[in-house]
Amino acid sequence: MNRILCGLAMLLTVAACSVSSINVPAISSGSERLAGKVIWHELLTDTPVDTERFYAELLGWEFRSLPHANLNYRMIYNEGRPVGGLIDQTQLPTSADISQWVSLLSVYDIAAATDAVTSGGGTVYTPPTSLGDRGEIAVVADNQGVLFALLQTQSGDPADGEDIRPGDFLWDELWAEDASAAAAFYKRLATLSVSSTELDPEGARVDYKVLSSQGQRRFGIRTNPVAELPSLWLQYLRITDKAKLEEVVARVDSLGGKVLLPVTERPSQGHMAIIAGPSGAGIGLQTWDDKNTSGGGDA
């Protein structure tokens, strides 16, 4: 694992441990865990003020501090509902710029899941750490060195079938060096089934894998399409339609962000773009109409 990823693992470890004695709010009032579902997202940023302003003006997000002095954590809300958290990496012991979004995967039993990470060729950077009402978190990397986190919630996960509003997280996608090996790894962490779909964007065949649990699609895995880019998790936010997507993307530069991929047609359906906020942390935007608001996108 390169120095940047090692540094990020250290930051998330420090962040998790720094709140271990404080009761962090639950992410849901649901009553069951949905192992294999991506249930939360954290943003590490070295430009917290500019980043908050960027997302507030671009998507209408709201950022709120928790009622604890000196806690380096802000909750992110979209239309009044929590969707993620923000950690100010300038308050943590690193000089590297490792700003990025991190996906958190639900597990039934975090001790068993971290054992599965190790036996599957991954790495556990933070052993299960209590976050009070939120549950237990572990920071890990998969068998290809991609960082993510496991979360065993205390009170349950966000229920399936909830409306995905514009500005909510819609889908998570792993861009892996070896998609088949990645799928085999993630199947070890939860009862996930794998289906493959062959896509043909612009004449280039793509083997796209969808991992599902409890009868619901949870996330996708594809071969990394950018040779010079390290393998990574890419998160997508829901945008209602192409016109709105074009309007949002047109405002990115003026708000201090950067357009990494302009509006383009997505092979399965709709349109997408990839942008970065002021800290350089990349995130996807994808159109998803009202008929499909209870499910994620793929490819």
Side-chain angles (χ1 to χ4, degrees):
M1 173 174 275
N2 64 37
R3 183 179 62 84
I4 296 298
L5 287 182
C6 288
L8 177 56
M10 178 194 71
L11 279 187
L12 288 172
T13 300
V14 172
C17 292
S18 70
V19 297
S20 62
S21 62
I22 296 175
N23 194 20
V24 179
I27 64 173
S28 170
S29 58
S31 60
E32 65 175 326
R33 299 191 187 107
L34 301 172
K37 181 177 183 176
V38 179
I39 55 173
W40 195 248
H41 300 87
E42 305 280 15
L43 172 59
L44 284 93
T45 173
D46 64 343
T47 59
V49 174
D50 291 340
T51 294
E52 290 190 15
R53 183 184 304 114
F54 174 81
Y55 283 107
E57 295 186 18
L58 190 70
L59 299 172
W61 281 1
E62 181 183 359
F63 296 79
R64 306 177 194 170
S65 295
L66 295 179
H68 304 291
N70 302 319
L71 180 59
N72 180 24
Y73 191 80
R74 298 262 283 171
M75 293 278 287
I76 305 172
Y77 290 81
N78 181 44
E79 297 185 7
R81 294 199 312 206
V83 294
L86 182 146
I87 299 168
D88 177 2
Q89 73 173 56
T90 68
Q91 301 301 310
L92 298 172
T94 183
S95 58
D97 178 9
I98 50 180
S99 300
Q100 65 177 273
W101 285 96
V102 180
S103 297
L104 276 69
L105 190 73
S106 171
V107 293
Y108 288 130
D109 182 335
I110 199 165
T114 51
D115 286 346
V117 167
T118 302
S119 62
T123 304
V124 176
Y125 287 99
T126 305
T129 302
S130 175
L131 299 179
D133 284 347
R134 179 157 298 179
E136 291 187 82
I137 189 172
V139 180
V140 301
D142 66 20
N143 57 345
Q144 296 175 55
V146 183
L147 207 75
F148 66 106
L150 305 172
L151 184 62
Q152 178 185 317
T153 55
Q154 180 86 339
S155 59
D157 299 338
D160 290 330
E162 291 184 351
D163 286 343
I164 301 174
R165 301 152 306 177
D168 280 353
F169 285 90
L170 173 69
W171 187 242
D172 288 71
E173 196 170 82
L174 177 66
W175 291 8
E177 181 178 350
D178 184 332
S180 295
F185 173 87
Y186 284 92
K187 282 182 64 177
R188 302 172 62 91
L189 309 184
T191 307
L192 287 157
S193 62
V194 180
S195 61
S196 295
T197 302
E198 286 193 4
L199 303 170
D200 191 27
E202 299 180 356
R205 188 181 70 84
V206 175
D207 179 13
Y208 193 93
K209 300 183 184 301
V210 176
L211 280 78
S212 303
S213 66
Q214 297 89 34
Q216 300 289 326
R217 296 179 301 173
R218 299 308 187 190
F219 57 90
I221 300 177
R222 62 160 298 166
T223 302
N224 189 345
V226 185
E228 61 273 18
L229 193 69
S231 297
L232 53 81
W233 276 96
L234 180 65
Q235 302 78 15
Y236 292 86
L237 302 173
R238 183 194 169 210
I239 306 296
T240 50
D241 53 44
K242 183 183 179 184
K244 180 61 176 178
L245 177 61
E246 290 173 339
E247 184 270 324
V248 169
V249 170
R251 298 168 55 220
V252 167
D253 287 339
S254 65
L255 293 174
K258 184 176 181 180
V259 177
L260 304 179
L261 177 71
V263 175
T264 185
E265 187 172 0
R266 196 158 164 88
S268 59
Q269 70 159 30
H271 292 78
M272 63 168 287
I274 301 176
I275 65 171
S279 70
I283 195 163
L285 307 173
Q286 182 184 335
T287 61
W288 198 252
D289 65 31
D290 290 333
K291 297 188 294 295
N292 298 311
T293 55
S294 62
D298 60 80

